[in-house]
Amino acid sequence: MGTISTLWELDTIGRAMDYVTNPENEHIRLQNFIENRFLDRSHTPEWIDSSDPRSGYLFLKLPISPENVVEYAVNVAARAFTAWSKTSVYQRSDVLFRIANIMEDKKDMFAVWESIDQGKQLHRARTEVDHAIEFFRYFARYILQEETNAVHLNKTARQSTLTYEHRLPVGVYAIITSSNMPLYLLASKIAPCLAFGCTGVAKPSEHTSMTAFLFAEVLRRADLPPGVMNIVFGNGPSTGSTLVGSPAIRGVSLTGGIKTGIQIRKETAADIHKRLSLDLQGSCPTLIFGDVDLESAASTAAYAAFENSGQVCLGGSRIYVHRSVYKVFLSKLIRLVLKKYRPAKDMGPVISRKHYDNIRAYLIQADEEHATFEIGEIPEEIPNDGFWVGPTILSNIHPESPLGQEELSGPVAIVYSFDTEEEVVDLCNDNRNGKGAVVLTDDLSRMRRVREHLDAELTWGNCWLGRDLGAGLNDVMAAGMGHGAGARIQDIFTRSRTVHVPSY
């Protein structure tokens, strides 16, 4: 039985782990998916070892796709674009619904492997799989309801014209995603790419490629025309760089770190016509005013800071508390985190040894700068039995310290005090990595004022993480140039053409 067909049937943690830990089974080896078929190993001269975050042991091997394989995938997508871009919205919608239905049938399987590969809790993985499915259904419905642009009559002294606009797919897209929510992020880009008539080559993070491999089987079973969407594996400097630099790539859609976004901009600078959509790592400061229920505020702040072990691009790693309630709030926050965010029971590990080392270096620097560890400690230099970092709350860090500016994407939160609205807004806006914001206050006028002055893509009032897919995202601060979901994502995957005809 082949690898994909074997993994496809393992839909419980017990069955999956029995397979992974069975010494008679070879380590899982992922295969590139190009033109609706999985390439054999002869195309892979080099492999990457990917570890199980919970144990630190080797989990699977994935190919470092060489240049010739990447170019093969891009050329296949370019050939497929001619026919796919001309399909009707009804045909594309039908494909998206088929993809969603297959994922729905296998959602337990996807959740199990997402949990194992990324290290997240199983309930969290299930939620993300449900959202991934909804992306395909959302865009399958959206393209059927899309309104045509109005026709305008232009009267001039010499000639009158009728003017209208219509949209055309951009072309072949490179889709690159990060490791914190692997399947969710992959679906958030592939769904609109297919919906609006583009083709693509996707490269997931080398740390979390398992569900992308399984998703390729969904595409095959959904009868997506060959070459319309291809998935290759590898690292950023080799595979990723080759992919985004290919002349046949017309657009790049990235979810990842700021350094990766900068590198992509450098590598594509000469190709001025290449579309870039860069949804970059940031944070969501949590603002707590003195008029809120502090138990509820502590619950929201902890959720924003430590959900998915803090590995959320909209995580609340910085918490600003009005001085009048600072001490009471901090004690409630500490008590709640110690009770509800326990490693292994309530929280998973961080994604990789490299990320573990980065967090450890950050906490060593915090200790050297005399930060107060309200809870948490510096993890061991050599991790034992996985990449576990306990929830950590720091105080006594200056807002202008590099520690307060860096986005760590881990289970570490910094708590500050403030006195006025103006002060806390300035503190938040001084951090260029701000992506969103959480405002906790029972004063609706204050909520409106503060939210209007924060440089944030999106804000939440008295809650966190709920989101309407139709809302989209804005381009603020270092958040990049991505529009997220919503109707505005058309501007990423389509281009508008204006047509003028004589008016008689």
Side-chain angles (χ1 to χ4, degrees):
M1 186 180 290
T3 299
I4 191 69
S5 56
T6 302
L7 302 175
W8 193 254
E9 300 304 322
L10 302 177
D11 56 3
T12 69
I13 289 288
R15 294 177 65 193
M17 289 307 299
D18 284 347
Y19 178 84
V20 170
T21 58
N22 187 339
E24 296 182 1
N25 293 329
E26 183 186 21
H27 287 300
I28 298 168
R29 288 180 182 260
L30 307 189
Q31 298 164 271
N32 289 315
F33 179 78
I34 303 174
E35 210 166 11
N36 274 25
R37 63 187 180 93
F38 293 97
L39 270 61
D40 60 44
R41 297 180 185 179
S42 64
H43 297 277
T44 304
E46 295 183 85
W47 297 81
I48 297 173
D49 290 343
S50 181
S51 301
D52 170 10
R54 286 187 174 85
S55 68
Y57 298 137
L58 177 63
F59 169 48
L60 59 79
K61 291 177 175 286
L62 62 145
I64 301 179
S65 300
E67 182 177 349
N68 65 312
V69 170
V70 175
E71 287 297 340
Y72 167 46
V74 172
N75 291 334
V76 162
R79 291 196 298 269
F81 176 74
T82 301
W84 181 251
S85 62
K86 296 175 182 177
T87 55
S88 71
V89 293
Y90 301 100
Q91 291 171 289
R92 299 199 299 272
S93 177
D94 185 56
V95 169
L96 295 180
F97 275 126
R98 289 205 301 270
I99 291 171
N101 291 339
I102 295 170
M103 293 179 71
E104 182 78 37
D105 289 341
K106 302 301 294 185
K107 66 179 182 179
D108 288 341
M109 180 270 296
F110 275 109
V112 162
W113 288 112
E114 192 82 318
S115 176
I116 294 172
D117 190 24
Q118 205 272 347
K120 62 176 80 259
Q121 295 292 89
L122 185 59
H123 69 86
R124 171 76 198 181
R126 286 187 176 123
T127 298
E128 292 179 15
V129 171
D130 285 340
H131 289 322
I133 295 168
E134 183 54 31
F135 274 116
F136 288 95
R137 290 182 174 150
Y138 172 84
F139 284 105
R141 293 188 296 265
Y142 177 80
I143 58 177
L144 296 180
Q145 301 166 356
E146 185 179 1
E147 296 180 357
T148 57
N149 289 305
V151 177
H152 302 281
L153 176 62
N154 305 293
K155 295 182 178 180
T156 67
R158 306 182 67 178
Q159 183 182 31
S160 295
T161 60
L162 287 174
T163 302
Y164 68 94
E165 295 180 356
H166 67 105
R167 290 183 174 271
L168 297 172
V170 169
V172 183
Y173 257 81
I175 293 173
I176 300 175
T177 52
S178 62
S179 62
N180 57 331
M181 294 188 289
L183 185 64
Y184 171 94
L185 294 173
L186 193 71
S188 74
K189 297 181 179 298
I190 289 180
C193 180
L194 298 180
F196 295 116
C198 293
T199 59
V201 180
K203 190 204 83 67
S205 166
E206 62 268 33
H207 300 298
T208 52
S209 292
M210 184 64 169
T211 48
F213 178 56
L214 296 168
F215 179 75
E217 176 68 1
V218 173
L219 298 178
R220 191 185 70 82
R221 295 188 180 212
D223 293 325
L224 184 70
V228 170
M229 184 55 61
N230 311 274
I231 299 177
V232 298
F233 301 100
N235 57 19
S238 177
T239 304
S241 180
T242 300
L243 178 58
V244 301
S246 173
I249 290 293
R250 293 290 181 260
V252 179
S253 181
L254 164 79
T255 296
I258 292 173
K259 291 181 180 179
T260 304
I262 292 172
Q263 185 63 31
I264 287 175
R265 291 185 70 175
K266 289 180 178 179
E267 292 180 1
T268 59
D271 195 346
I272 196 67
H273 301 294
K274 191 168 288 188
R275 293 278 186 94
L276 297 183
S277 172
L278 309 179
D279 186 9
L280 305 181
Q281 177 184 328
S283 69
C284 273
T286 302
L287 287 61
I288 298 164
F289 290 88
D291 58 353
V292 296
D293 177 83
L294 294 183
E295 293 285 352
S296 177
S299 178
T300 301
Y303 179 43
F306 299 112
E307 178 69 5
N308 201 35
S309 299
Q311 299 170 117
V312 179
C313 60
L314 295 169
S317 58
R318 290 172 286 129
I319 304 171
Y320 299 91
V321 188
H322 194 270
R323 196 177 303 277
S324 64
V325 295
Y326 178 83
K327 291 184 178 180
V328 177
F329 171 83
L330 184 56
S331 66
K332 291 182 180 295
L333 178 66
I334 291 171
R335 186 166 61 250
L336 185 145
V337 171
L338 290 174
K339 180 180 179 181
K340 293 189 175 182
Y341 292 88
R342 298 163 294 179
K345 293 184 178 180
D346 309 301
M347 292 174 57
V350 297
I351 184 58
S352 66
R353 173 65 188 273
K354 180 180 179 181
H355 198 35
Y356 177 95
D357 290 342
N358 288 341
I359 294 172
R360 184 175 184 274
Y362 179 97
L363 294 178
I364 289 174
Q365 184 180 348
D367 186 56
E368 292 173 349
E369 293 187 12
H370 307 292
T372 301
F373 283 68
E374 302 289 351
I375 60 170
E377 59 187 8
I378 299 171
E380 297 293 331
E381 182 177 1
I382 306 298
N384 294 316
D385 299 323
F387 313 126
W388 297 94
V389 179
T392 304
I393 298 175
L394 304 175
S395 63
N396 194 35
I397 290 180
H398 196 280
E400 295 182 2
S401 164
L403 295 172
Q405 299 291 317
E406 182 179 349
E407 296 310 325
L408 192 60
S409 188
V412 180
I414 304 174
V415 183
Y416 301 96
S417 62
F418 70 90
D419 292 299
T420 66
E421 290 180 24
E422 293 78 9
E423 177 190 5
V424 73
V425 168
D426 287 343
L427 287 171
C428 292
N429 290 347
D430 282 345
N431 189 308
R432 296 185 62 192
N433 296 316
K435 192 175 183 72
V438 180
V439 181
L440 305 182
T441 176
D442 288 342
D443 185 334
L444 295 182
S445 295
R446 173 187 287 138
M447 184 181 294
R448 177 191 57 78
R449 287 195 305 272
V450 171
R451 290 166 66 182
E452 288 180 356
H453 289 91
L454 287 169
D455 290 334
E457 291 187 50
L458 70 168
T459 58
W460 289 274
N462 294 340
C463 64
W464 177 71
L465 209 57
R467 180 178 163 200
D468 176 11
L469 287 183
L473 299 174
N474 298 316
D475 306 330
V476 180
M477 306 290 275
M481 299 177 290
H483 294 271
R488 284 175 291 173
I489 205 168
Q490 288 183 96
D491 294 330
I492 296 174
F493 292 104
T494 67
R495 53 191 173 91
S496 179
R497 174 178 291 177
T498 304
V499 180
H500 303 276
V501 297
S503 172
Y504 300 100

